[in-house]
Amino acid sequence: MIIKLSQSSTEATLNTLTQWFAQQGVEVRKVVLENQVLLVTSSKWRGDTSYLNSVEGVESVVDTGTEYQLCTRKFQNQDTVIDLGGGVVFGRGCTILMAGPCAVESEEQVMRTAEFLRSKFDIKVFRAGAFKPRTSPYSFQGLADEGLRLLEKVRENFGMKIITEVKDTTHLDAVADVADIIQIGTKAMYNFSLLAFCGQLEKPIVLKRGFMTTIKEFLQAADFIMSNGNSKVILCERGIRSFEPQTRFCLDVCAAALVKELSHLPIVLDPSHAMGIAAQVPLVAQSAAALGIDGLLIETHPDPANAKSDKEQALSFEQFSQMVPVLDRICTAVGRTLVA
Amino acid sequence: MIIKLSQSSTEATLNTLTQWFAQQGVEVRKVVLENQVLLVTSSKWRGDTSYLNSVEGVESVVDTGTEYQLCTRKFQNQDTVIDLGGGVVFGRGCTILMAGPCAVESEEQVMRTAEFLRSKFDIKVFRAGAFKPRTSPYSFQGLADEGLRLLEKVRENFGMKIITEVKDTTHLDAVADVADIIQIGTKAMYNFSLLAFCGQLEKPIVLKRGFMTTIKEFLQAADFIMSNGNSKVILCERGIRSFEPQTRFCLDVCAAALVKELSHLPIVLDPSHAMGIAAQVPLVAQSAAALGIDGLLIETHPDPANAKSDKEQALSFEQFSQMVPVLDRICTAVGRTLVA
Amino acid sequence: MIIKLSQSSTEATLNTLTQWFAQQGVEVRKVVLENQVLLVTSSKWRGDTSYLNSVEGVESVVDTGTEYQLCTRKFQNQDTVIDLGGGVVFGRGCTILMAGPCAVESEEQVMRTAEFLRSKFDIKVFRAGAFKPRTSPYSFQGLADEGLRLLEKVRENFGMKIITEVKDTTHLDAVADVADIIQIGTKAMYNFSLLAFCGQLEKPIVLKRGFMTTIKEFLQAADFIMSNGNSKVILCERGIRSFEPQTRFCLDVCAAALVKELSHLPIVLDPSHAMGIAAQVPLVAQSAAALGIDGLLIETHPDPANAKSDKEQALSFEQFSQMVPVLDRICTAVGRTLVA
Amino acid sequence: MIIKLSQSSTEATLNTLTQWFAQQGVEVRKVVLENQVLLVTSSKWRGDTSYLNSVEGVESVVDTGTEYQLCTRKFQNQDTVIDLGGGVVFGRGCTILMAGPCAVESEEQVMRTAEFLRSKFDIKVFRAGAFKPRTSPYSFQGLADEGLRLLEKVRENFGMKIITEVKDTTHLDAVADVADIIQIGTKAMYNFSLLAFCGQLEKPIVLKRGFMTTIKEFLQAADFIMSNGNSKVILCERGIRSFEPQTRFCLDVCAAALVKELSHLPIVLDPSHAMGIAAQVPLVAQSAAALGIDGLLIETHPDPANAKSDKEQALSFEQFSQMVPVLDRICTAVGRTLVA
C-alpha cells in the first residue's frame, strides 16, 4: 500500500500516520521520490484505507495489488522520463543505441571504438566495463580504476555519455564518480545492499534482470532502488538461461512486452549477451528494436577475435555498420526514433 | 554422411554402394528428395569418402558434421522454396501472415473469421484446429471430422489455403485430405511415427518445435520427415517453457535467428502461443517479424471472451486490425513483403 | 466434479443425471472404474451439488478443486494397489526393482541380462524396449516385433514380468499382447490418443512424466488414461530437462514427494535416464529409493560400452550388483521392502 | 594449470617462475593453501610443462582440464576434511544435521529452538539468518547486528556452533566475528568480491549453489574462495529453479551426485529451500541423506505459522522429531553416521 502525501502535507501528517501504523504493528517506510513524500507498507498489508484517505495531507492511497509497488503503472501511469541532456532521453519515444566493447582493455581500444561510434553514427552513449564480474577467478577481471580513467577520457574527447557496470558495493563510489549511467549487472541484481546504495544516488541506474529472475523479482529489485529515493531506474532485459546449449541465453521478448505494460520505467534490451554469437546479434537486435523500446546495448570491438572478454559476441565495426540502418528503419516502423 | 547420386546414376550404382556399406556393417538409408536419390548413413559414421567419391554415379559426399543432415545448409545452401500457388510462397522473401481461431468451434465462428480476414486484409492462409491436443481429458477436444468439413467450406467460400493440426497418426489421413498445410503441434514433435508418415506425404508440413526441445532435436525431427521423402518442411518456433509464470511460454528469438543460419528450410513463428496474453501478442508479433522470417501464425477470434480454447491469447478483430499495418512496415524495414 | 453412483444405482439414475446436465449445457463423461460408475464434468464446472446429492443412486459428489480429478486423493484417499501376481505388487509397501537393458538388441543380450538378474537377485520385472523413440532418424530404432518375441522368451525362460515401451498408437496392439506392464515414454506423454487407447486396456500402464511437464499436466495425463476406464496407472518420474549440461536430466525428487501426497496412484522412479552417467546412477537410485516409492527402473547391460542405445547410463553387472544391497538397506530404513 | 611448489622451494623458485610467465605474457596467481604454495594460471593456458617440471622447487604440474582447478579431485584426490571440534567434522563419513529457523526473530524464538534441538537430538550446529536477502524491500530484512548477538547467546548457552548467512561485503566482518561457519547464500554466489573476501578468512564457508547455476560456475565460485587462500569450502546444493510452479525449487540430486565425484570438497544439501513445503521436507531430506553427504540444513521453527520468513517450509518440532530417526537409519544404510 502506498500513501501519497500532498505537497501541502506537514510534519504533523507524517506523525499522525506513523503513529497510527505503529499502533497497528505495521512497518511503514518513508520514501521521497522526486520531492513527493510517500509512505509504503508491505505489499501484503490490507487495512483501513478510508481512515488513511481521511487524514489531512494525504493525497491518495494506492493498492497496486502486486508485490512490487513504486515501479508499477498502478502507482504512476505515465512513462518515467530520464533526460541526460544532449539528446539522450529515455522514456519519450526514442530508442537510444548504446554501444562499445564488453570491457575496457586499453586506451587504444576504447578510443578507436569511441571514435568509430561517434564519427560514423553519432552514438551518444558509450558502454564498457571497468569492473568485470567474471565467473572464473583466473580470467581477466577488468582494468578497475585505470579503466574508469579511460572512460573519462572517452567522455572528454568525444562528448559521449558513459554507462559502466558496478559489480558490488566495494567500488560503487568510484564508478558513480565517473559514470553517467550506472549499470547493475545480471549477477548483481540480487545484491540488495548494492540496490539500496544505488537508490541513494541521483544518477540513472540500468538494472539488468538476472538470468534466472522472474518478472516479479525483477520489478521488486527496481522497487528496492526506488524505495531508497532514486526514481531514475531503467530496466534491462538481457536474456534468461534456458536448456538450449547452442545459444548463450534466450532473450525473453515476451517478458519485455509484459514489463512495458506493468511498469512506467524505461526498458532497454541487450541482444549481445542474450545471443552470444556475433553473426546473429544483429537479427536479435532487430527483434528487440521492433518491441518499441527505450534503448539497446550492443557490444562492438575493433578486433573481436582478440577481445579479452566475450569475444564471441562482439560485432566487428563492419557488422555494426550494416546493422544500424536496419535498426533505424525498424524504429521508424514502430513509431520510434533511433538515437544513434 | 550423405551420398548424393547424380541424375545419371543407375541401379548398379545403388547396388555397389549398398553392398559396400553392408560389408562394413553400416546401415544406410535410401532417400529420394525432389527426384534426387541420396544414401544417408548415421550422422556418426566417418568412413572412406575417397572411395565413395570414386564410385561412378556418385555426385558428391557431404559430411554435415551435425546430427541433423538433410535440413542443413551444409547439405543444401540455398533456401528451400515452397510454393502453394496464389501468392503463398515460403522461402522467397515473403512473410506469410496465417491467421484464424485456435479451434474450429462452429460454422458461424469460422465463417465470420474467414470473412473478416479475407475481405479486410486479404489473408491467404486460414489456421484453425479440428483435432485439439488438450492436456485435460475433460476439455473441449475439437470438432474432429465435422471441423475438417467446416475448414473445407472456408476454402471453398473464401479461396483461402488451410493449415490445420494433426495430433497423432489416428486421424492423419483425414487431416491430409483437407489441409493445404499440415501442422504438427508442439506436443506431437516427438511422435516419430507421425513424422515418418508425414514424410510420405506430398503436402507441406509445418513442424512446431517442442516447448522443451533443443535446436538439435528440432532439426532432427525435420530430418525424420525429410528422410521419408518429403522436402516440404516449414519450421515453426512457438515458444519454450521457462521458469517465468506470468507469460505462457518464452518465444525463443535467439534460437530462431540461429535456425535461419543452420537450416535451408523456411521458418515461421507463432507469437500467440508464446505470449499467451492477447494484449501483448502484437508486440511479440512485431518482434518476430523483425527477424525476417517466412511467416507468422496469429490467433484471432470474433469473440475472444467466449472462445472454447486459448481464449486469453486470441486477438479481437480490432486488435488484429491495428497490428497488421505495423507488421507490414516492419517487414518492409527488413526487406521482406508481408503477404496478408 | 465427480458424481459417484452407488452400486444400487440404475439406468434411470444415469438418465436423470445425463438429462439434467444436458439441460444445463454441461458436457459430462461416463467413466467405469473398477465396476464403479462415475460421471465426470469439466474440472472447472461448479454447480448445484445439493441437487446432485439428492438424486437417488448418487453415492457422493466430489469436487477435487484441481484440474486432475480421478487420480487425486481427494477422490480416493487410499493407495491404489496393482497386483501382478508372483510378488509383484505396486502400492503396498514394496519397492519393485525393474531392470534390464535400454533396448532389446539380440537374443544373447536379453537372455544374458535376464539370467543375471533372475539368478543373482531374483529380479521379477524385466525392462527393455522393442520400439525405441530415438530423436535421430538414422539411429537404431529398435527390433520392433522381433524384439517383442525375444521379450516373450525372457518371460517363458525366466518367469519374469515384462515391462516394455509403446511409442505411439501404431504398434500398441502388438506391445499390449506381449507386455505385462505397458510403458508410455516421456516423449509420448502428450500423445492423447495413445493415452486414451491405453485407458481401454486392462493392463497396468507406467506413465512417464514428460521431461518438461508440470505436475498438473502429468496428473492430467493420468486422468486421460483413467477416464477411459483403466485404473491401473503407475506414475513415473524420470528427470526433467534443466540448464545443466553435465547431467542428462535432473531427477525431480521434490515433484515425486509432492505427487505421493496428491495422488493415490503408485509411483516409480527412473534414475538411469535422469542421471545419464552410469557411475552416478547408483547414488541417484539411492536417493530415489529413500523417498519410499513403489519401484525403480534401472538400466543394465552385459556390455555397456557396446550397447546400441544409451550406453553411457547402463550399469555393468558389477555396478548393478554393488548397488542392490545398498538399495535394500535404504528401503528397510524407510519402512519398505525391496522386491528384487 | 597449477604449479605446486615443494616445501623446499625458495623465493628463487618463485622468481624464476614468475619471470618465465611474465616473459610469455601469461598472468599467474600465487595461492597459498594450507601452507602449500601454488602458482595458478588461467585454466585455458597450455604451455611447456616439461620446462616447469624441471625447475628446482617445483613439486608437480597439474592440468585439471577443467575451468575450475583447485577444488577438483584432479588437483587433490582425497576428501577435504574440515574439523570444527566438538564432533563437527565435514568430509570424514559424517552427515552433520544443521538446524534452526530461517531467520533470527527474537531471543525467545532462537532460545526455544536451540533448546529443543540441543536437548532432544544433541544437534551441534545451529542455523539462522541475521541478514536476510529478501527480494522485497518491504519484507522483514532480518535483525542484523541484534540477530548476531542472539546467535552468540545460543552458542554460549547451548555450546552449539553457529552457521549464519552473509548477504554481501557490507556486513561480512560482523558476521565473521560471530559465525563458526559463514554461509554465502544462493543469491550471493555470483558476488565475486564477497567470494574473494571470504577467501581471506580462516573460517569455513558454506557456498550455496545459485538456483540457476551450472556445476561449472558453482565450482568456479569455490575456486574464487580457494584461490584467495581459504581451503575450507563446503559446497551446498539447495535446489534449482525449474518450470514447475508447485514446488519452490527442484533439489538437483543428479548434480550433487556428480559434484561428489568432481570435487574433493565436502557437500551438504538444503531440502527445506528446495522443497518449500514443510509436509514434504522430510521426504526430500531422506532423499538427500541417501546420497551419502556431509551434512543437511533443515529449517525448523517453534511456531511455523507465525514465522517471519519462509514459514511454508519450516518444520514444526513434531515434524522434525519424526524425521530424525529415519535420517539416522538412512545414513547408516549408506555407511554414514548422522551427527545430530
Side-chain angles (χ1 to χ4, degrees):
Chain A
M1 201 83 83
I2 304 170
I3 297 94
K4 230 168 157 169
L5 302 199
S6 65
Q7 296 301 350
S8 65
S9 66
T10 61
E11 202 60 26
T13 314
L14 211 57
N15 288 342
T16 306
L17 291 168
T18 310
Q19 282 169 26
W20 187 78
F21 278 116
Q23 279 163 14
Q24 314 213 4
V26 175
E27 269 184 85
V28 70
R29 188 184 181 107
K30 182 186 165 193
V31 177
V32 185
L33 270 184
E34 312 267 322
N35 298 320
Q36 165 92 63
V37 181
L38 310 167
L39 288 179
V40 192
T41 74
S42 157
S43 55
K44 276 163 197 151
W45 185 76
R46 296 282 172 280
D48 185 350
T49 56
S50 60
Y51 165 73
L52 289 170
N53 273 308
S54 76
V55 174
E56 202 177 320
V58 168
E59 192 180 304
S60 60
V61 179
V62 184
D63 182 355
T64 63
T66 46
E67 296 186 51
Y68 33 92
Q69 304 185 72
L70 299 171
C71 65
T72 67
R73 290 198 186 275
K74 292 262 174 67
F75 169 63
Q76 173 193 315
N77 192 42
Q78 82 273 24
D79 291 348
T80 283
V81 176
I82 300 173
D83 188 342
L84 280 83
V88 179
V89 190
F90 295 87
R92 206 189 282 140
C94 295
T95 300
I96 314 287
L97 184 52
M98 299 172 275
C102 177
V104 180
E105 296 171 16
S106 70
E107 178 157 356
E108 198 245 341
Q109 173 236 21
V110 289
M111 290 300 153
R112 273 186 65 192
T113 307
E115 205 280 330
F116 162 73
L117 293 170
R118 192 59 160 162
S119 68
K120 184 121 187 242
F121 294 107
D122 200 23
I123 298 289
K124 292 174 183 58
V125 184
F126 187 80
R127 60 139 294 151
F131 295 88
K132 302 302 302 173
R134 306 299 300 280
T135 43
S136 167
Y138 316 114
S139 295
F140 174 63
Q141 312 284 318
L143 292 186
D145 294 323
E146 167 65 13
L148 292 178
R149 275 194 299 279
L150 293 175
L151 290 174
E152 282 190 309
K153 269 203 175 170
V154 167
R155 179 168 45 213
E156 286 159 23
N157 289 11
F158 299 100
M160 298 172 87
K161 310 284 180 197
I162 301 298
I163 172 170
T164 193
E165 181 167 2
V166 62
K167 282 162 64 173
D168 54 61
T169 52
T170 59
H171 50 273
L172 175 58
D173 290 344
V175 167
D177 275 353
V178 169
D180 297 291
I181 307 172
I182 297 166
Q183 175 184 313
I184 297 176
T186 193
K187 290 173 185 159
M189 199 214 75
Y190 291 112
N191 186 334
F192 301 108
S193 294
L194 180 61
L195 298 177
F197 284 135
C198 285
Q200 291 155 22
L201 301 174
E202 305 236 324
K203 295 210 166 163
I205 310 294
V206 161
L207 176 68
K208 285 196 162 182
R209 180 184 180 199
F211 53 72
M212 62 295 216
T213 293
T214 60
I215 293 172
K216 189 185 90 174
E217 291 171 349
F218 185 30
L219 295 181
Q220 285 179 312
D223 257 33
F224 244 106
I225 300 173
M226 297 181 75
S227 63
N228 280 280
N230 189 346
S231 62
K232 297 190 192 121
V233 178
I234 300 165
L235 302 169
C236 178
E237 160 60 27
R238 46 77 69 208
I240 57 173
R241 186 161 267 176
S242 82
F243 55 81
E244 172 57 54
Q246 289 199 67
T247 57
R248 189 171 185 197
F249 290 97
C250 169
L251 190 72
D252 192 352
V253 293
C254 291
L258 191 57
V259 164
K260 281 188 67 170
E261 176 166 302
L262 296 173
S263 176
H264 55 79
L265 296 173
I267 182 166
V268 302
L269 272 74
D270 176 348
S272 298
H273 280 87
M275 186 68 224
I277 308 171
Q280 272 73 48
V281 165
L283 276 187
V284 178
Q286 293 172 199
S287 192
L291 285 169
I293 51 167
D294 300 295
L296 284 165
L297 282 161
I298 304 278
E299 289 189 5
T300 184
H301 192 283
D303 181 11
N306 291 304
K308 285 198 177 174
S309 66
D310 286 350
K311 63 183 175 189
E312 293 80 4
Q313 74 201 32
L315 297 186
S316 69
F317 290 173
E318 197 189 328
Q319 288 172 313
F320 189 88
S321 299
Q322 285 167 354
M323 175 190 67
V324 174
V326 186
L327 295 183
D328 189 58
R329 292 197 299 268
I330 291 173
C331 286
T332 305
V334 299
R336 293 245 162 187
T337 307
L338 185 73
V339 174
Chain B
M1 199 85 81
I2 305 170
I3 297 95
K4 229 168 157 170
L5 302 199
S6 65
Q7 297 299 353
S8 65
S9 67
T10 62
E11 201 60 30
T13 313
L14 213 56
N15 288 341
T16 306
L17 291 167
T18 310
Q19 281 169 28
W20 186 79
F21 278 115
Q23 279 163 13
Q24 315 214 3
V26 175
E27 270 185 86
V28 69
R29 189 182 179 107
K30 183 185 163 192
V31 177
V32 184
L33 271 184
E34 310 269 324
N35 297 321
Q36 164 93 61
V37 181
L38 309 166
L39 288 179
V40 191
T41 73
S42 157
S43 55
K44 275 163 197 151
W45 186 75
R46 296 284 172 280
D48 186 351
T49 56
S50 59
Y51 166 73
L52 289 169
N53 272 307
S54 75
V55 174
E56 205 178 316
V58 168
E59 191 179 302
S60 60
V61 179
V62 184
D63 182 356
T64 63
T66 46
E67 296 185 51
Y68 34 91
Q69 304 187 72
L70 299 171
C71 65
T72 68
R73 291 201 186 272
K74 292 263 173 67
F75 170 62
Q76 174 193 312
N77 192 43
Q78 81 273 25
D79 289 349
T80 283
V81 175
I82 300 173
D83 188 342
L84 279 84
V88 180
V89 191
F90 295 89
R92 206 190 280 141
C94 295
T95 300
I96 313 287
L97 184 50
M98 300 173 274
C102 177
V104 180
E105 296 172 15
S106 69
E107 177 157 356
E108 198 245 343
Q109 171 234 23
V110 291
M111 290 301 156
R112 272 187 64 193
T113 308
E115 205 279 330
F116 161 73
L117 293 170
R118 192 59 161 164
S119 68
K120 182 117 190 245
F121 295 107
D122 199 22
I123 298 288
K124 293 175 180 60
V125 184
F126 187 82
R127 62 138 294 149
F131 295 88
K132 300 305 300 174
R134 305 300 299 280
T135 43
S136 167
Y138 315 115
S139 296
F140 174 62
Q141 312 284 318
L143 292 185
D145 294 324
E146 167 63 13
L148 292 178
R149 275 195 298 279
L150 293 174
L151 290 175
E152 281 188 310
K153 268 204 174 169
V154 167
R155 180 170 43 218
E156 285 159 22
N157 289 12
F158 299 99
M160 298 172 88
K161 311 284 179 195
I162 301 298
I163 172 168
T164 193
E165 181 167 2
V166 62
K167 280 163 63 173
D168 54 61
T169 53
T170 58
H171 51 271
L172 176 58
D173 289 346
V175 168
D177 275 353
V178 169
D180 297 289
I181 307 173
I182 298 166
Q183 176 184 311
I184 298 176
T186 194
K187 290 172 186 160
M189 200 214 73
Y190 291 111
N191 186 334
F192 302 108
S193 295
L194 179 60
L195 298 177
F197 285 136
C198 285
Q200 291 155 23
L201 301 174
E202 306 235 327
K203 295 210 168 163
I205 310 294
V206 161
L207 175 68
K208 285 197 164 181
R209 181 184 179 198
F211 53 72
M212 63 298 216
T213 293
T214 60
I215 294 172
K216 189 185 90 171
E217 291 172 350
F218 185 30
L219 295 181
Q220 284 179 312
D223 257 35
F224 244 107
I225 301 172
M226 297 180 77
S227 64
N228 280 280
N230 188 347
S231 62
K232 297 191 193 118
V233 178
I234 299 166
L235 302 169
C236 178
E237 160 59 27
R238 45 77 71 210
I240 57 174
R241 184 161 269 177
S242 81
F243 55 82
E244 173 57 54
Q246 290 198 66
T247 58
R248 189 171 186 199
F249 290 97
C250 169
L251 190 72
D252 192 352
V253 294
C254 291
L258 192 57
V259 163
K260 281 188 66 171
E261 176 167 301
L262 296 173
S263 176
H264 55 80
L265 295 172
I267 181 165
V268 302
L269 272 74
D270 176 347
S272 298
H273 280 86
M275 185 68 226
I277 307 169
Q280 273 71 49
V281 165
L283 275 188
V284 178
Q286 293 173 200
S287 192
L291 285 169
I293 50 166
D294 300 295
L296 284 165
L297 283 161
I298 304 278
E299 290 190 6
T300 185
H301 191 284
D303 182 11
N306 291 304
K308 286 198 177 175
S309 64
D310 287 348
K311 64 183 173 188
E312 293 82 2
Q313 73 201 33
L315 297 186
S316 68
F317 291 172
E318 196 188 331
Q319 288 172 311
F320 190 88
S321 300
Q322 285 167 352
M323 176 189 65
V324 175
V326 187
L327 295 183
D328 190 57
R329 292 197 299 268
I330 291 173
C331 286
T332 305
V334 299
R336 295 244 160 190
T337 307
L338 185 73
V339 174
Chain C
M1 199 82 82
I2 305 169
I3 297 94
K4 230 167 157 170
L5 302 199
S6 63
Q7 297 300 353
S8 65
S9 66
T10 62
E11 203 60 28
T13 314
L14 212 55
N15 289 340
T16 306
L17 291 167
T18 311
Q19 282 169 27
W20 186 78
F21 279 115
Q23 280 163 11
Q24 315 214 3
V26 175
E27 270 184 84
V28 71
R29 188 183 181 105
K30 182 185 165 193
V31 176
V32 185
L33 271 184
E34 310 268 324
N35 297 321
Q36 164 93 62
V37 181
L38 310 167
L39 287 178
V40 191
T41 73
S42 156
S43 54
K44 276 162 199 152
W45 184 77
R46 296 282 173 282
D48 185 351
T49 56
S50 60
Y51 165 74
L52 289 170
N53 273 307
S54 75
V55 174
E56 204 178 321
V58 168
E59 190 180 303
S60 60
V61 179
V62 184
D63 182 355
T64 63
T66 47
E67 296 185 51
Y68 33 91
Q69 304 184 72
L70 299 171
C71 64
T72 68
R73 290 199 186 273
K74 292 263 173 65
F75 169 63
Q76 173 194 315
N77 191 43
Q78 81 272 25
D79 291 347
T80 282
V81 175
I82 300 173
D83 188 341
L84 279 84
V88 180
V89 191
F90 295 88
R92 206 188 282 140
C94 295
T95 300
I96 313 287
L97 184 52
M98 300 174 274
C102 178
V104 180
E105 296 171 17
S106 70
E107 177 156 0
E108 198 244 343
Q109 172 236 21
V110 291
M111 289 301 155
R112 271 187 65 193
T113 308
E115 206 278 331
F116 161 73
L117 293 170
R118 192 59 160 165
S119 68
K120 183 118 188 243
F121 294 106
D122 200 22
I123 298 288
K124 292 175 182 58
V125 184
F126 188 81
R127 62 138 292 152
F131 295 87
K132 300 304 301 174
R134 306 299 300 278
T135 43
S136 167
Y138 316 114
S139 295
F140 175 62
Q141 312 284 320
L143 293 185
D145 294 324
E146 168 64 13
L148 293 177
R149 276 194 298 280
L150 293 176
L151 290 174
E152 282 189 308
K153 268 204 174 169
V154 166
R155 179 168 44 216
E156 286 159 22
N157 289 12
F158 298 100
M160 295 171 88
K161 310 284 179 197
I162 302 298
I163 172 169
T164 193
E165 182 168 0
V166 62
K167 281 163 62 174
D168 54 61
T169 53
T170 58
H171 50 271
L172 175 58
D173 290 346
V175 168
D177 276 354
V178 169
D180 298 289
I181 307 172
I182 297 166
Q183 177 183 310
I184 298 177
T186 194
K187 290 172 186 160
M189 198 215 75
Y190 292 111
N191 186 333
F192 302 109
S193 295
L194 180 60
L195 298 177
F197 285 135
C198 285
Q200 292 155 23
L201 302 174
E202 306 236 324
K203 294 210 168 164
I205 310 294
V206 161
L207 175 68
K208 284 196 164 182
R209 182 184 178 196
F211 53 72
M212 217 140 178
T213 294
T214 60
I215 292 171
K216 188 185 91 172
E217 292 172 350
F218 185 31
L219 295 181
Q220 284 179 313
D223 257 33
F224 243 107
I225 300 173
M226 296 180 76
S227 64
N228 280 281
N230 188 347
S231 62
K232 296 190 193 120
V233 178
I234 299 165
L235 302 169
C236 178
E237 158 61 27
R238 46 76 71 208
I240 59 174
R241 184 162 268 177
S242 82
F243 55 83
E244 173 57 54
Q246 289 197 65
T247 57
R248 191 172 186 195
F249 290 97
C250 168
L251 190 73
D252 193 352
V253 294
C254 290
L258 192 57
V259 164
K260 281 188 67 169
E261 176 166 304
L262 296 173
S263 176
H264 55 78
L265 296 173
I267 181 166
V268 302
L269 272 76
D270 177 347
S272 298
H273 280 86
M275 186 68 224
I277 308 170
Q280 273 73 48
V281 166
L283 275 188
V284 178
Q286 292 173 201
S287 192
L291 285 168
I293 50 168
D294 300 295
L296 284 165
L297 282 161
I298 304 277
E299 290 189 6
T300 184
H301 192 282
D303 181 11
N306 291 303
K308 286 198 179 176
S309 66
D310 287 348
K311 64 184 174 187
E312 293 82 3
Q313 75 201 33
L315 297 186
S316 68
F317 290 173
E318 196 187 330
Q319 288 172 313
F320 189 89
S321 300
Q322 285 167 354
M323 176 189 66
V324 175
V326 186
L327 295 182
D328 189 59
R329 291 196 300 267
I330 291 172
C331 286
T332 305
V334 298
R336 294 244 161 189
T337 307
L338 185 74
V339 174
Chain D
M1 199 84 83
I2 305 169
I3 298 95
K4 228 169 159 170
L5 302 199
S6 64
Q7 297 300 351
S8 65
S9 66
T10 63
E11 201 60 29
T13 313
L14 213 56
N15 288 342
T16 306
L17 291 167
T18 309
Q19 282 170 27
W20 187 78
F21 278 116
Q23 279 163 14
Q24 315 215 3
V26 175
E27 271 185 84
V28 69
R29 188 184 181 105
K30 183 185 162 191
V31 177
V32 184
L33 271 184
E34 310 266 322
N35 297 321
Q36 164 93 63
V37 181
L38 310 167
L39 288 179
V40 191
T41 74
S42 155
S43 55
K44 275 160 198 154
W45 185 76
R46 295 283 173 278
D48 186 350
T49 55
S50 60
Y51 166 73
L52 289 170
N53 273 307
S54 76
V55 175
E56 205 178 317
V58 169
E59 191 179 304
S60 60
V61 179
V62 183
D63 182 355
T64 62
T66 46
E67 295 185 52
Y68 34 91
Q69 304 185 73
L70 298 171
C71 65
T72 66
R73 291 198 185 273
K74 292 263 171 67
F75 169 63
Q76 173 194 315
N77 192 42
Q78 80 273 25
D79 291 348
T80 283
V81 175
I82 299 174
D83 189 342
L84 278 85
V88 180
V89 191
F90 294 88
R92 206 189 280 141
C94 295
T95 300
I96 313 287
L97 184 51
M98 299 173 276
C102 177
V104 180
E105 295 171 15
S106 69
E107 177 157 357
E108 198 245 341
Q109 171 235 22
V110 290
M111 290 300 154
R112 271 187 65 194
T113 309
E115 205 279 331
F116 161 73
L117 293 171
R118 191 62 161 162
S119 69
K120 183 121 187 242
F121 295 107
D122 199 22
I123 298 287
K124 293 175 182 58
V125 185
F126 187 80
R127 64 138 292 153
F131 295 88
K132 300 304 301 173
R134 305 299 299 279
T135 44
S136 166
Y138 317 113
S139 295
F140 173 63
Q141 311 284 318
L143 292 186
D145 294 324
E146 167 65 12
L148 293 178
R149 275 195 297 279
L150 293 175
L151 291 175
E152 282 190 309
K153 269 205 175 169
V154 167
R155 179 169 44 214
E156 285 159 22
N157 289 11
F158 299 99
M160 296 173 89
K161 311 283 179 196
I162 301 298
I163 173 169
T164 193
E165 181 167 1
V166 61
K167 281 163 64 173
D168 54 63
T169 53
T170 58
H171 50 273
L172 176 57
D173 289 346
V175 168
D177 275 354
V178 169
D180 297 291
I181 307 173
I182 297 166
Q183 177 183 312
I184 298 176
T186 193
K187 290 172 186 160
M189 199 215 74
Y190 291 111
N191 185 335
F192 302 109
S193 295
L194 180 61
L195 298 177
F197 285 135
C198 285
Q200 290 156 23
L201 302 174
E202 306 237 324
K203 294 208 167 164
I205 311 294
V206 160
L207 175 69
K208 285 197 164 182
R209 182 184 180 198
F211 53 70
M212 217 142 178
T213 294
T214 60
I215 293 172
K216 189 185 89 173
E217 291 172 348
F218 185 31
L219 295 181
Q220 284 179 313
D223 257 33
F224 243 106
I225 301 173
M226 296 180 77
S227 63
N228 280 281
N230 189 347
S231 62
K232 297 188 192 121
V233 179
I234 299 166
L235 302 169
C236 178
E237 159 61 26
R238 47 75 73 208
I240 58 174
R241 185 162 268 176
S242 82
F243 55 83
E244 173 58 54
Q246 290 197 65
T247 57
R248 188 172 186 196
F249 290 97
C250 168
L251 190 72
D252 192 352
V253 294
C254 291
L258 192 56
V259 163
K260 281 188 67 171
E261 176 167 302
L262 296 174
S263 176
H264 55 80
L265 296 172
I267 183 166
V268 303
L269 272 75
D270 177 347
S272 298
H273 280 86
M275 186 68 224
I277 308 169
Q280 273 72 48
V281 166
L283 275 187
V284 178
Q286 293 173 199
S287 193
L291 284 168
I293 50 166
D294 299 295
L296 284 165
L297 282 160
I298 304 279
E299 290 190 4
T300 185
H301 191 283
D303 181 11
N306 291 304
K308 286 199 176 173
S309 66
D310 287 350
K311 65 184 174 188
E312 293 82 3
Q313 73 201 34
L315 298 186
S316 68
F317 290 173
E318 196 187 331
Q319 288 172 313
F320 189 89
S321 300
Q322 284 167 353
M323 174 189 66
V324 174
V326 186
L327 294 183
D328 189 59
R329 292 197 300 267
I330 291 173
C331 286
T332 305
V334 299
R336 294 244 162 189
T337 307
L338 184 73
V339 174

